[in-house]
């Protein structure tokens, strides 16, 4: 019986050593992040004709900057102060030619002054 007891203690001791050793080793999971920066070269010779605001919407937005007796002409897409805008001609009643312009940002719809 004493031999069995020694065998049980030996097995227990070996298991304790194995458990301890397995806890000391670690498997590390290394992750490498590779980031590539891409720089696009803009060609300033190309004119961007994409707009979020239509000519009809630009004319509608321009009405909030006018008063009684004012007529708005047909908006044209142009650049004003480095911003792509709709140029909305303003005429007074009785005159057939524009006396001023209202510039509406073609992307945001805000007035450019």
């Amino acid at each position: 019986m004493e031999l069995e007891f020694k065998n049980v203690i030996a097995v227990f001791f070996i298991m304790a050593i194995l458990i301890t050793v397995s806890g000391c080793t670690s498997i590390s999971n290394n992750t490498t992040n590779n980031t590539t920066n891409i720089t696009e070269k803009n060609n300033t010779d190309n004119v961007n004709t994409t707009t979020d605001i239509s000519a009809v919407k630009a004319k509608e937005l321009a009405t909030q900057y006018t008063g009684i007796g004012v007529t708005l002409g047909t908006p044209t897409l142009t650049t004003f102060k480095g911003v792509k805008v709709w140029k909305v001609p303003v005429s007074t009643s009785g005159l057939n030619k524009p006396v001023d312009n209202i510039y509406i940002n073609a992307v945001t719809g805000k007035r450019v002054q």
Side-chain angles (χ1 to χ4, degrees), residues 20 29 96:
T20 303
N29 185 7
N96 291 334

Side-chain angles (χ1 to χ4, degrees), residues 55 58 73-79 85-89 101-104:
T74 303
T76 55
L77 194 59
T78 187
T79 302
V85 296
W86 287 104
K87 178 175 135 181
V88 184
N101 296 300
I102 296 175
Y103 299 95
I104 302 294

Side-chain angles (χ1 to χ4, degrees), residues 34-45:
N34 294 323
T35 305
T36 303
N37 292 327
I38 299 172
T39 304
E40 293 182 15
K41 182 178 180 184
N42 292 329
N43 186 353
T44 56
D45 293 339

Side-chain angles (χ1 to χ4, degrees), residues 5-107:
F5 182 70
K6 286 183 181 179
N7 287 342
V8 171
I9 290 177
V11 169
F12 181 73
F13 183 70
I14 291 172
M15 287 179 61
I17 290 173
L18 290 175
I19 291 171
T20 303
V21 170
S22 69
C24 291
T25 60
S26 65
I27 299 172
S28 72
N29 185 7
N30 293 329
T31 304
T32 303
N33 292 327
N34 294 323
T35 305
T36 303
N37 292 327
I38 299 172
T39 304
E40 293 182 15
K41 182 178 180 184
N42 292 329
N43 186 353
T44 56
D45 293 339
N46 293 336
V47 176
N48 184 1
T49 58
T50 304
T51 62
D52 290 339
I53 305 298
S54 68
V56 173
K57 183 67 175 175
K59 188 172 182 177
E60 178 186 316
L61 292 169
T63 60
Q64 65 185 321
Y65 305 107
T66 63
I68 298 173
V70 174
T71 304
L72 296 176
T74 303
T76 55
L77 194 59
T78 187
T79 302
F80 179 70
K81 295 186 177 180
V83 178
K84 186 170 41 171
V85 296
W86 287 104
K87 178 175 135 181
V88 184
V90 179
S91 301
T92 56
S93 294
L95 295 177
N96 291 334
K97 59 183 179 178
V99 292
D100 201 1
N101 296 300
I102 296 175
Y103 299 95
I104 302 294
N105 186 309
V107 176

